[in-house]
Amino acid sequence: MPADPAPIPPRDHALDACFLGPYGENDTLLEKLLVEFLRDHVYWRRNFHPEDPPAIGTAAARHPDYLAFEARMRRELHQLSAALKRSMPFHSPRYIGHMASDLLLPGLAAQMLALPYNPNNVSEDSAPVTIDMEVRVGLQLARMLGYVHDPARADCAFGHLTSGGTLANYQALRLALAMKAFPVALRAAGVPDIVLPGDDWQAFNLSGEAIVALLDRWQGWLAAQAPTERKRWRETVEAARIEQLGLASFFAAHPSLQVPCVLAPVTAHYSWSKGLKLLGLGRAQLDLLPTQGMRLHVDALESHLQRCARECRPVLMAVAVLGSTEYGTIDPVDGMLAARERSRARGLDFAVHVDAAWGGYLATLFRNEDGSLRTRDEIAAEFRYFPSPALHAAFGALGNTDSVTVDPHKLGYLPFGSGAFVCRDHRAMDLLAERADYVFHGGVATDYFAHFRGLGQFVAEGSKPGAAAAGVYVVHKVLPLDHRHFGRLPRATIRAAEAFHDRALRFADEVADHLCVRIPFAPDSNLVCLAMNPQGNRSLATANAFMHRLSTVLRADPHQPLQIKEFFGSVTTLRPDLLGAEQTQHIFSSLGLDAEAAEPLTILRHTLMNPYLIDVENGISYIERYFDFLARCTTALMAHGGSA
């Protein structure tokens, strides 16, 4: 039986100050902040060298050319403002479509505050303040994920911001390839006095810990050489590295090695295909593995690793998805790590990366204020279903992975253009360093922060917006990444997802006489999908036609005012070739559809990010309103031949 409706939770007044608000309720607060810090910025300019006279005369504002320019600027800005009114209403609890919501005021204000300073986080020369903030953001995220985050420790993690999850995933591939190939280059260079693996296969299959230790020994040995010898050996090793030779020449020089593959579940984001193409490995090296309930099937991973070991096919990386883009499902990270341990016994090693672009900030629910992991019972006491034992195990294992992608511009509620890459051990980043004397200079870094003040050496980008780093940093300071602070946000949305799940079950009962409704996968996060089919219909084409007509009601029409739409949603598909025969049979049969169909099934996808879906102030549940709306829409579609 469907669960009874969940009571409206008590009001969390801390959330009231977090956002501009669905109705712009905090406009006065934002306006005060912007005016205060704009004036502060102007004072800073005027006090830089107060002896310098103003370059723009007071009479300039009355000149016809000045006035004409101002008029043109105002006209274009008014037109831009008018055009932007056609934007998606991400701020509204009526928007439950894609992975976007309102923006946190601390992040929005901090980014707007920093923009006039225009810091470029490529190096400390152009961003003496915000580059340190970016490095500290990496440590904040590392703590949330369970990595070592004390910069005084040799094995401290490191993280940096990117334009988004795609570039962070690409950075993970770059680092994994550099690490995997480095021991092979040392062997090829014939470096003396350092114990190296006996052959290229062993060198290509060292663990991440062993590679970092080897890098440490190499750097220590190199530093002990005389300047001439140091220069010669550095150039000799660099000449043997994959970054210098390129893929074709590197593997030609090591014919016993094959080009490595990357293993990922079928739910993996399309950025992995793009990344392999960019890196030159090729899309053919991406092996997509079966899932169970759209979560990585560990047995399938195990079988694939055994085959790779038999065929001496190297594996560069295995990817776990912590919140798939389409379904919000979470892979068994702990199971993947256990599979790697078993694979190591067969001589096959690889990096484990977690693509947590969507689900990364859910980790705040699992962290105490001291950074320790909360028990499942402690977390479960706050929810009806969350987290399952499998979810708790997956989040608890994050600290044992090699790297993680997190998107502050998703569940971090920050402006787009803020992704992040975090690796477990900062020392590995030296393998990505790219020198440019006009940007990066100085001697050997004396500490962790000094080492990364030439941030552009280590990242794929050149210029980087320091204002984005300021926004993320301030949010993490105002709302530390633990369950008592930032965790209030995902707590509210997970509760909303649970309420949505229960309401969907009741909705299925309410419309059962004319419509079959199913939740294809129990939600792991705050993303819930719904599959529907008119009762009595067995045709997949008819079911999809019905869903496409329904999706037009939930999709913005650029030719119509946004206000005519009651709610905004999104759709995705369930593909039989990705589901597998058993899952396809189960889901299609439960909907009354022909399970032999080979085409994808269109389903509704709901992203429940907005913290005001349950409006405590006014006693309104937008979840209830949505299902009332859905009932009206589906009834109308059926009455007008929606199943035909």
Side-chain angles (χ1 to χ4, degrees):
M1 291 292 292
D4 293 331
I8 291 180
R11 187 170 190 78
D12 186 347
H13 289 285
L15 292 183
D16 289 345
C18 284
F19 299 94
L20 182 56
Y23 202 71
E25 296 91 335
N26 286 322
D27 61 328
T28 302
L29 173 58
L30 179 58
E31 183 177 338
K32 283 195 302 184
L33 291 170
L34 294 181
V35 170
E36 177 183 348
F37 289 107
L38 174 60
R39 287 174 177 167
D40 191 57
H41 176 78
V42 171
Y43 297 153
W44 173 74
R45 290 191 179 205
R46 289 176 178 173
N47 285 284
F48 173 59
H49 270 283
E51 71 275 17
D52 293 344
I56 302 172
T58 54
R62 298 192 296 273
H63 193 280
D65 290 348
Y66 185 109
L67 295 172
F69 178 86
E70 180 185 359
R72 289 197 304 274
M73 179 171 63
R74 285 182 176 277
R75 182 178 65 249
E76 292 304 321
L77 289 174
H78 277 293
Q79 289 180 357
L80 172 62
S81 180
L84 287 171
K85 302 302 184 293
R86 300 196 302 273
S87 299
M88 287 294 97
F90 295 144
H91 63 278
S92 172
R94 293 179 180 272
Y95 185 87
I96 51 176
H98 295 287
M99 293 171 168
S101 186
D102 208 351
L103 300 174
L104 281 166
L105 275 183
L108 177 62
Q111 190 159 335
M112 295 173 78
L113 188 163
L115 279 172
Y117 297 89
N118 199 29
N120 177 2
N121 274 17
V122 65
S123 77
E124 63 178 336
D125 279 1
S126 53
V129 176
T130 55
I131 203 163
D132 265 8
M133 289 181 176
E134 180 162 345
V135 176
R136 291 181 189 279
V137 163
L139 294 173
Q140 292 165 339
L141 292 170
R143 183 178 187 271
M144 178 185 78
L145 297 168
Y147 288 155
V148 173
H149 56 277
D150 179 0
R153 283 186 50 172
D155 58 346
C156 183
F158 168 75
H160 65 85
L161 296 178
T162 63
S163 60
T166 293
L167 199 59
N169 288 341
Y170 177 61
Q171 182 77 328
L173 288 169
R174 288 180 68 219
L175 182 59
L177 184 61
M179 291 179 69
K180 198 167 189 67
F182 178 68
V184 179
L186 287 183
R187 288 191 76 254
V191 176
D193 305 324
I194 297 178
V195 178
L196 295 169
D199 57 40
D200 281 353
W201 174 259
Q202 292 177 33
F204 213 45
N205 282 282
L206 291 182
S207 68
E209 296 87 346
I211 295 167
V212 169
L214 185 59
L215 176 61
D216 257 358
R217 291 197 297 273
W218 154 246
Q219 291 174 330
W221 180 85
L222 195 65
Q225 306 306 305
T228 303
E229 283 295 285
R230 186 184 309 136
K231 180 176 184 294
R232 181 175 74 85
W233 277 110
R234 181 184 289 116
E235 291 175 349
T236 301
V237 171
E238 284 299 314
R241 290 187 62 192
I242 197 168
E243 291 80 7
Q244 177 68 25
L245 293 172
L247 291 176
S249 295
F250 180 85
F251 286 104
H254 305 281
S256 65
L257 299 178
Q258 300 181 53
V259 176
C261 62
V262 171
L263 310 182
V266 293
T267 53
H269 192 258
Y270 63 88
S271 59
W272 292 103
S273 174
K274 291 166 67 174
L276 284 166
K277 293 173 187 175
L278 279 169
L279 205 56
L281 292 172
R283 173 61 179 77
Q285 308 312 318
L286 179 61
D287 293 357
L288 296 177
L289 304 179
T291 58
Q292 280 184 315
M294 289 301 175
R295 301 162 186 90
L296 176 73
H297 196 317
V298 175
D299 289 346
L301 171 65
E302 182 74 34
S303 297
H304 204 88
L305 290 173
Q306 290 175 6
R307 184 164 66 253
C308 287
R310 288 195 303 271
E311 297 172 358
C312 291
R313 186 187 183 202
V315 176
L316 176 63
M317 173 187 289
V319 179
V321 181
L322 203 80
S324 60
T325 306
E326 292 185 279
Y327 315 111
T329 46
I330 289 172
D331 288 336
V333 179
D334 54 315
M336 179 175 284
L337 289 167
R340 179 172 69 174
E341 283 301 311
R342 293 188 291 272
S343 181
R344 283 173 169 170
R346 295 186 287 269
L348 182 73
D349 210 332
F350 50 90
V352 171
H353 177 80
V354 179
D355 186 350
W358 172 241
Y361 278 88
L362 294 178
T364 57
L365 292 169
F366 295 78
R367 290 288 158 199
N368 287 308
E369 291 174 277
D370 64 0
S372 61
L373 186 70
R374 302 174 74 200
T375 68
R376 179 179 174 268
D377 288 345
E378 288 173 327
I379 304 167
E382 302 167 352
F383 303 99
R384 301 190 75 171
Y385 314 114
F386 182 90
S388 68
L391 249 65
H392 188 267
F395 277 91
L398 290 175
N400 295 318
T401 63
D402 296 289
S403 55
V404 180
T405 290
V406 184
D407 271 359
H409 66 209
K410 288 191 173 75
L411 281 178
Y413 296 89
L414 281 142
F416 280 113
S418 299
F421 168 77
V422 188
C423 68
R424 185 170 60 176
D425 194 320
H426 76 281
R427 293 171 292 182
M429 294 299 295
D430 284 352
L431 292 172
L432 296 182
E434 189 78 31
R435 294 288 299 174
D437 289 340
Y438 78 100
V439 180
F440 315 116
H441 47 78
V444 177
T446 55
D447 64 22
Y448 180 94
F449 292 99
H451 189 66
F452 290 111
R453 284 182 185 136
L455 187 57
Q457 298 176 83
F458 305 101
V459 304
E461 301 107 317
S463 297
K464 299 178 87 270
V472 183
Y473 175 77
V474 169
V475 161
H476 291 176
K477 292 293 284 185
V478 174
L479 292 168
L481 301 180
D482 57 64
H483 79 101
R484 290 193 183 278
H485 297 93
F486 194 98
R488 290 174 170 183
L489 292 169
R491 183 179 295 113
T493 61
I494 291 292
R495 285 173 173 169
E498 292 184 336
F500 189 99
H501 173 272
D502 290 348
R503 185 64 183 90
L505 295 178
R506 298 200 308 277
F507 174 74
D509 280 352
E510 293 164 1
V511 299
D513 61 330
H514 62 277
L515 192 64
C516 187
V517 179
R518 296 288 183 270
I519 300 172
F521 316 108
D524 286 340
S525 62
N526 37 15
L527 198 156
V528 186
C529 295
L530 286 182
M532 300 185 189
N533 180 43
Q535 284 289 6
N537 171 60
R538 295 195 57 79
S539 165
L540 179 62
T542 300
N544 281 342
F546 174 81
M547 292 300 290
H548 281 298
R549 291 187 62 187
L550 180 58
S551 72
T552 61
V553 182
L554 294 165
R555 192 169 59 240
D557 182 345
H559 306 294
Q560 297 288 336
L562 289 173
Q563 289 79 1
I564 70 170
K565 295 287 185 180
E566 287 192 50
F567 285 91
F568 294 85
S570 62
V571 297
T572 187
T573 60
L574 295 177
R575 290 172 48 189
D577 60 321
L578 301 186
L579 280 170
E582 184 178 342
Q583 281 282 306
T584 300
Q585 170 73 31
H586 172 72
I587 294 172
F588 282 40
S589 296
S590 72
L591 289 165
L593 291 169
D594 180 3
E596 302 302 317
E599 296 300 312
L601 171 68
T602 300
I603 61 174
L604 294 181
R605 170 180 173 269
H606 308 91
T607 307
L608 304 165
M609 282 183 69
N610 195 291
Y612 304 107
L613 282 163
I614 300 174
D615 179 358
V616 180
E617 177 73 16
N618 298 294
I620 294 172
S621 169
Y622 284 92
I623 294 168
E624 289 289 340
R625 290 190 173 188
Y626 173 71
F627 278 100
D628 291 344
F629 163 76
L630 208 56
R632 296 196 306 274
C633 290
T634 54
T635 299
L637 284 175
M638 299 288 288
H640 290 87
S643 62

